[in-house]
Amino acid sequence: MTLNSESTENKGQIPMTLKPWQLRKSREAPKSATALRTLALALVGVLLAATSSMAVTGMATGSTWLGGGEALRAVQTTYELATSQLDAERWEEAIELFRAAFEEGDERADGALYWIAFAHSKNGSPTDAVASLRELEQRFPASRWLDDARYLRAEIEQTIGAAGGVAEEDDDDLRLYAINTLMHVDSDRALPLLERLLSEDNPVELKERALFVLMQSNSERAFDIAADIARNGDNRELQLRALRHLGMFRQDRGVEVMAEIYAASGDAEIKGAILQGFMMAGAPDRVLAVARDDTDVELRTAAIRAMAMMGDADNAMSDLWALYESESSIEVKEVILQSMFSRGATTRLLQIVRTESEPRLRLAALRGLTMAAHGDDAATADVAEQLLELYGTETDTELRSQILHVFWSRGEASTLIQLFERESDPEMRKRIVQALAMSDSEETIDFLIRMIEQ
């Protein structure tokens, strides 16, 4: 999770806007600025005050001279996507994604169960929350989340007024637990009971939980029931839930049913749920078909982003490049570039920076390369070297500024100083000084002092 600070004065403090549960996930906040950095900022203020009204802003806070625009979307796992839904207080979406992460075998599976329980408690389903906590305790008896789980359980008990344990479950809960148990003992006898729960006039929350229990079965009959719900729009929420999980329930057949429904539907919400189902089922060919063929731009861009997380890297890169070459929309091409970066396509991105005629696309590719140039290995050093060469031949101020950001982010104060000494453009010289303002090296301080004394 990213902890955003409102000003450089508040660095080292957890922002007051941080939600209470996020304190459980937050890492140690950054240390306060060093004396060297304070001196550097003061020196830059002296240098720029007489020549520019431009404010000296920290590069880490996203100053406008770095190019502005939407930040490059980083690659996210299902667990991280679930975390973003949790932060946005979209409890149901968080539950579904954390459950998907758990079923994918994420190494943080115990954490996923904890956050499922937490989201249930926030969404007004304390019984479901306690069930997830029990599952956590049973499956992961040595988990580091157990202390948090006990604390959360105590919170739930306090909320519902149980003195020594969970409040007595209502009749529906008990029925569902009994059916779930029966599913493991005699699924043939349990399925008709679940089917009746799903067809009767029961609360949608109960039906959704019944559907989840149904999807734990490997039987053909269970799949047929779930597929009928996915096709039938009588209960929309239940239909959407079935569509998202049908491919995980019975992968090949589930994907086929979802593809059939997708082809026949003109409903963007239905298609969006199926796209999520394709992702969860690990069906990159189906996701590619959406990205290539659908007429809805939002669905296409969602599919392109999904391609960044699916399938073999070489195949995904080939598919993304083919999409890029055939695409006419600049906005969609920007999304493709973001996905290309996430698959490590630095060669293609460099090609676009050097040859693309559209400035927005060149800048989008360069932002991807900015992130690719982090690190100390030979590949990232090579990217940085090529960007340094590009800085010398480039004329676009915004692109050159973005290249400066690469060397600031790599901590290469000496490179920035060399660029300053070669630079003849007054505006770019100011921007290099701004970059150096965020460096706390002795080399930077000596350089700034030399400038002042000249």
Side-chain angles (χ1 to χ4, degrees), residues 148-200:
D148 287 315
R150 284 187 281 270
Y151 179 77
L152 177 59
R153 185 162 178 165
E155 286 181 340
I156 295 170
E157 291 172 354
Q158 184 177 14
T159 300
I160 61 180
V166 179
E168 184 178 354
E169 290 91 343
D170 59 27
D171 290 343
D172 286 339
D173 290 331
L174 288 173
R175 287 168 64 200
L176 195 56
Y177 285 138
I179 293 172
N180 190 22
T181 302
L182 184 60
M183 281 283 291
H184 296 287
V185 178
D186 190 340
S187 61
D188 289 340
R189 297 177 68 180
L191 283 173
L193 300 175
L194 275 174
E195 190 171 8
R196 190 172 71 188
L197 269 182
L198 289 164
S199 61
E200 290 176 349

Side-chain angles (χ1 to χ4, degrees), residues 223-232 242-243 246-247 249-265 270 274 278 286:
F223 177 82
D224 290 341
I225 295 170
D228 286 343
I229 292 170
R231 292 188 179 97
N232 188 343
L243 288 169
L246 201 58
F249 176 35
R250 188 62 75 80
Q251 186 173 3
D252 292 339
R253 284 193 61 199
V255 169
E256 288 176 8
V257 171
M258 290 190 294
E260 168 198 322
I261 298 169
Y262 192 100
S265 178
I270 293 293
I274 295 172
F278 288 155
R286 298 293 184 178

Side-chain angles (χ1 to χ4, degrees), residues 54-55 57-58 61-69 367 398 401-402 431:
M54 184 184 304
T57 56
T61 60
S63 48
T64 56
W65 72 267
L66 294 179
R367 285 179 180 146
E398 194 170 10
S401 296
Q402 188 68 30
R431 297 187 181 197

Side-chain angles (χ1 to χ4, degrees), residues 47 138 140 252 260 279 342 425:
L47 288 168
Q138 291 168 1
F140 302 99
D252 292 339
E260 168 198 322
M279 293 171 60
S342 67
D425 184 335

Side-chain angles (χ1 to χ4, degrees), residues 117 120 125-135 137 153 156-157 160 166 169 177:
H120 273 310
S125 302
T127 304
D128 287 335
V130 171
S132 294
L133 293 175
R134 286 173 179 161
E135 186 175 4
E137 292 166 359
R153 185 162 178 165
I156 295 170
E157 291 172 354
I160 61 180
V166 179
E169 290 91 343
Y177 285 138

Side-chain angles (χ1 to χ4, degrees), residues 373-413:
H374 291 178
D376 299 323
D377 58 30
T380 55
D382 180 63
V383 172
E385 186 65 29
Q386 294 193 58
L387 290 178
L388 182 61
E389 177 186 340
L390 182 63
Y391 182 90
T393 59
E394 184 55 55
T395 58
D396 185 282
T397 299
E398 194 170 10
L399 287 169
R400 299 183 88 206
S401 296
Q402 188 68 30
I403 294 173
L404 291 180
H405 178 54
V406 173
F407 298 108
W408 166 78
S409 64
R410 288 174 60 84
E412 295 187 12

